[in-house]
Amino acid sequence: MKFLHTLALFLALTGPLHAQNTAFLKEPNSLVAEDDLAVRQVIARLNQALDSGDYAVYGSFFADDAVFTSGFGDATGPAGVAAALEQVRPFITNKRHVSANLVINGAGDRAVVTSYLIVFERVADLSYVGSAINIDTLEKRGGRWLVTRHDSELDPATADAMQAAMGGQ
């Protein structure tokens, strides 16, 4: 399966996004309350769209020039993001994606959100599936907050479990 080979390459080539780097915790969040809330809504709506399987809606939260990097492939722009997710639909269907511990650093029309992504199975059983750290850069364009860059790194135990599940494929 193309996805599994892409994932294996991703896991082999990527380094930690935030390994022991806590500088972002000291950066100020200077967003006005309205923009802070709008940014949080984008993150929540991304997860809701992902869980509903509506990848076109998910992609609609990305700018035309957005860069998407994750264990599910790399993509550019709304249509590219939607297509990357469509390729792995069987793997991400019936899951709940929950963002937690959001740290938002922003000013003016730019924000960076660092969050934990926790994923649960919701149909076959009630199990924890995996976790990652996400770093989303958003810009306010035309009065709307859009993701301009999404970087996701699987946590080591999640990466190990995925590699074991791939088992020689």
Side-chain angles (χ1 to χ4, degrees):
M1 175 181 233
K2 181 180 176 186
F3 159 72
L4 296 177
H5 295 293
T6 302
L7 178 60
L9 180 61
F10 169 81
L11 294 172
L13 297 177
T14 57
L17 291 174
H18 254 310
Q20 306 304 315
N21 180 0
T22 59
F24 74 101
L25 295 173
K26 297 177 184 176
E27 294 175 19
N29 180 14
S30 301
L31 291 177
V32 297
E34 179 181 324
D35 286 334
D36 184 276
L37 181 59
V39 165
R40 291 174 189 275
Q41 281 292 304
V42 169
I43 301 301
R45 291 169 190 271
L46 283 169
N47 287 333
Q48 293 282 335
L50 188 59
D51 292 344
S52 73
D54 194 331
Y55 305 143
V57 169
Y58 184 93
S60 75
F61 291 100
F62 286 78
D64 289 340
D65 59 346
V67 174
F68 177 92
T69 62
S70 79
F72 298 110
D74 298 342
T76 304
V81 169
L85 294 174
E86 192 62 54
Q87 278 191 304
V88 294
R89 180 180 287 274
F91 183 75
I92 57 178
T93 297
N94 296 325
K95 307 292 186 283
R96 287 284 182 238
H97 295 77
V98 180
S99 290
N101 294 359
L102 278 69
V103 174
I104 300 174
N105 300 105
D109 291 342
R110 186 172 187 276
V112 177
V113 180
T114 303
S115 62
Y116 298 145
L117 180 67
I118 305 162
V119 184
F120 299 94
E121 171 62 39
R122 67 181 181 89
V123 174
D125 56 38
L126 298 174
S127 63
Y128 160 82
V129 176
S131 56
I133 188 163
N134 286 345
I135 301 173
D136 291 291
T137 303
L138 293 90
E139 292 180 10
K140 193 173 187 181
R141 297 182 179 179
R144 183 172 175 231
W145 284 96
L146 295 170
V147 177
T148 58
R149 181 165 189 94
H150 170 84
D151 293 294
S152 184
E153 180 187 343
L154 298 174
D155 285 332
T158 301
D160 290 348
M162 292 185 73
Q163 285 179 329
M166 293 180 341
Q169 293 183 14

